């Protein structure tokens, strides 16, 4: 019997969860501590320029196979961009504007 969980969903022997990243973490890359269902913590390196919706796999952190307890499914992380909870300040907007001007020039 599978009991619904607030973080994980089940797909076969794999567990799935959303991993929220702010734009800076997604663009710059980062290391995140992921708490697995068994209580262990796994450090996951998020590469720079990770796209929203990208799936990352952590092997052997899913559910055990019914006929083989030595074999485990994977934990699948779905990258979800987390947007600011409040309106941006003028300074933040100006910095973003500067960033996009530089990016536009760089990609000409």
């Amino acid at each position: 019997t599978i009991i619904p969980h607030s973080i994980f969903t089940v797909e076969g022997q794999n567990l799935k969860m959303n991993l929220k990243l702010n734009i800076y973490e997604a663009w710059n890359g980062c290391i995140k501590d992921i708490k697995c269902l068994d209580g262990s913590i796994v450090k996951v390196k998020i590469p720079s320029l990770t796209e929203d919706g990208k799936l990352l796999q952590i092997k052997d952190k899913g559910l055990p196979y019914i006929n083989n307890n030595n074999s485990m499914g994977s934990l699948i992380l779905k990258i979800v961009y987390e947007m600011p909870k409040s309106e941006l300040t003028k300074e933040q907007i100006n910095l973003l504007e500067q960033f996009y001007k530089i990016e536009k020039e760089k990609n000409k």
Side-chain angles (χ1 to χ4, degrees), residues 96-108:
L96 279 171
E97 197 174 314
Q98 289 175 31
F99 170 82
Y100 280 107
K101 282 180 184 177
I102 292 168
E103 188 66 12
K104 187 176 178 181
E105 286 298 314
K106 185 176 100 177
N107 290 321
K108 276 188 176 182

Side-chain angles (χ1 to χ4, degrees), residues 37-48:
L37 187 63
D38 64 5
S40 65
I41 304 290
V42 176
K43 290 193 178 298
V44 176
K45 183 177 181 183
I46 308 300
S48 62

Side-chain angles (χ1 to χ4, degrees), residues 9 14 47 64 87:
T9 58
N14 295 330
E87 284 191 40

Side-chain angles (χ1 to χ4, degrees), residues 10-107:
V10 176
E11 187 175 282
Q13 300 313 121
N14 295 330
L15 293 174
K16 292 180 129 184
M17 69 174 277
N18 290 338
L19 178 58
K20 294 180 182 179
L21 300 179
N22 64 44
I23 298 297
Y24 178 79
E25 291 171 324
W27 288 354
N28 191 55
C30 62
I31 295 176
K32 288 285 195 175
D33 288 341
I34 306 299
K35 186 172 183 180
C36 300
L37 187 63
D38 64 5
S40 65
I41 304 290
V42 176
K43 290 193 178 298
V44 176
K45 183 177 181 183
I46 308 300
S48 62
L49 302 177
T50 297
E51 295 179 6
D52 186 57
K54 181 172 179 70
L55 300 177
L56 303 175
Q57 179 179 352
I58 304 172
K59 292 185 178 187
D60 299 324
K61 287 297 179 180
L63 298 174
Y65 284 88
I66 294 170
N67 297 327
N68 183 358
N69 283 342
N70 295 328
S71 187
M72 303 284 283
S74 296
L75 174 58
I76 309 295
L77 306 174
K78 181 181 179 184
I79 301 300
V80 177
Y81 283 4
E82 187 172 43
M83 300 309 279
K85 304 256 186 272
S86 60
E87 284 191 40
L88 299 177
T89 65
K90 252 186 174 175
E91 180 183 12
Q92 289 171 313
I93 291 170
N94 287 337
L95 288 170
L96 279 171
E97 197 174 314
Q98 289 175 31
F99 170 82
Y100 280 107
K101 282 180 184 177
I102 292 168
E103 188 66 12
K104 187 176 178 181
E105 286 298 314
K106 185 176 100 177
N107 290 321

